[in-house]
Amino acid sequence: MTTSSPSGIIAPGAIAPDFTLAAGPDSTISLSDYRGQAVVLVFYPADWSPTCGDQVGVYSEMVTVFETFNAKVLGISVDGTWCHKAFVEARRILFPLLADFEPKGDVARQYGVYRPQNGISERAIIIVDAAGIVRWSYLSPIGVNPGADGIVKALEALTPEQRGTAG
């Protein structure tokens, strides 16, 4: 059972639901593939919206900063793999975008960030530690790019064990 905050988003301290999603037409990624290191899950509404493009672009530019905390970034939206492929190529995104496409929004629902009225995910960021525990979750207004400051502060707050590093 997952625990959610008053806004519905999965709350810190909950066990992050494992998932396997398409990372491309012929590949999948599971959250459990990253056990032993921190993961930044970036849920966003749609590849080609201006706010989403800016947000994902910022995180792509910051991949090396996140990696200093032993953290990997995974983007998740309800867009399909071919849409993601075109978006990654056009925006030169340096981390995987996963298709929460069918059943639509299933993973977003598990994390409490699906918007059934629009058929998209909320704009949300969830940090999962090396042991698979949610350590930070943030729900942004749908039209606002939350930037990276909150992510960096949350990663800084993780212990070396939570990051999956020795020190």
Side-chain angles (χ1 to χ4, degrees), residues 5-6 17 55 59 67 75 84 94 97-99 123-124 127 151 156:
S5 71
Q55 178 188 12
Y59 301 157
E67 287 176 349
H84 282 332
L94 301 176
L97 299 183
L98 308 180
R123 188 174 310 284
I127 295 180
I151 297 170
E156 287 173 342

Side-chain angles (χ1 to χ4, degrees), residues 63-142:
V63 162
T64 56
V65 173
F66 299 147
E67 287 176 349
T68 65
F69 298 101
N70 197 37
K72 294 293 183 187
V73 180
L74 299 175
I76 302 173
S77 81
V78 298
D79 293 311
T81 57
W82 293 108
C83 186
H84 282 332
K85 183 177 185 325
F87 186 63
V88 164
E89 290 171 0
R91 296 297 300 244
R92 297 186 173 106
I93 305 303
L94 301 176
F95 58 87
L97 299 183
L98 308 180
D100 193 9
F101 187 71
E102 189 59 44
K104 187 175 184 182
D106 183 56
V107 173
R109 282 180 177 81
Q110 292 178 53
Y111 282 82
V113 297
Y114 187 69
R115 287 179 77 121
Q117 69 274 27
N118 304 105
I120 58 175
S121 94
E122 296 279 359
R123 188 174 310 284
I125 304 162
I126 297 160
I127 295 180
V128 178
D129 74 8
I133 306 297
V134 173
R135 293 297 170 185
W136 186 75
S137 58
Y138 177 73
L139 184 63
S140 177
I142 198 84

Side-chain angles (χ1 to χ4, degrees), residues 2-41:
T2 59
T3 305
S4 64
S5 71
S7 67
I9 190 172
I10 195 167
I15 296 171
D18 194 18
F19 57 80
T20 300
L21 290 173
D26 298 316
S27 64
T28 60
I29 287 178
S30 298
L31 179 60
S32 57
D33 295 341
Y34 295 89
R35 191 61 46 94
Q37 65 185 120
V39 178
V40 180
L41 299 177

